[in-house]
Amino acid sequence: MIPSNKREQGKHHPDNLQLLLKAHNASKNNTDWVRFTFEEQVDYIKSAIHLQSLIAGRMGIEIDSSVLDSLFVRLKQIY
């Protein structure tokens, strides 16, 4: 969904949902940006998780893939 006017930007609605890294969300700011397709969103999330997994062990963090699978199921429901 592309906002119809400036007041609609950032509206808390499933049509406006994108999961982005903080730096990417900040860069996006309030600009109109066509939302990722479901497949693009999954690829983006998997890439971000892969990047984090490269250093997770050194930081004592365990990445639980069942949480990621659950996220994708829920995300698919709103797309």
Side-chain angles (χ1 to χ4, degrees), residues 34-70:
V34 177
R35 182 175 77 158
F36 286 143
T37 64
F38 176 73
E39 292 77 18
E40 290 171 328
Q41 182 71 87
V42 168
D43 287 344
Y44 178 87
I45 293 168
K46 285 182 176 180
S47 295
I49 295 296
H50 175 72
L51 178 62
Q52 295 301 313
S53 69
L54 295 174
I55 61 167
R58 293 179 183 188
M59 298 175 68
I61 298 170
E62 182 180 335
I63 296 178
D64 184 346
S65 63
S66 67
V67 173
L68 188 57
D69 294 339
S70 175

Side-chain angles (χ1 to χ4, degrees), residues 4-54:
S4 58
N5 62 51
K6 294 291 183 189
R7 292 175 303 184
E8 297 293 322
Q9 292 181 339
K11 186 174 180 181
H12 297 295
H13 188 276
D15 288 345
N16 194 37
L17 178 68
Q18 288 190 110
L19 300 178
L20 301 171
L21 295 173
K22 185 176 181 177
H24 296 156
N25 190 53
S27 294
K28 178 182 173 287
N29 201 356
N30 286 333
T31 58
D32 287 345
W33 183 359
V34 177
R35 182 175 77 158
F36 286 143
T37 64
F38 176 73
E39 292 77 18
E40 290 171 328
Q41 182 71 87
V42 168
D43 287 344
Y44 178 87
I45 293 168
K46 285 182 176 180
S47 295
I49 295 296
H50 175 72
L51 178 62
Q52 295 301 313
S53 69
L54 295 174

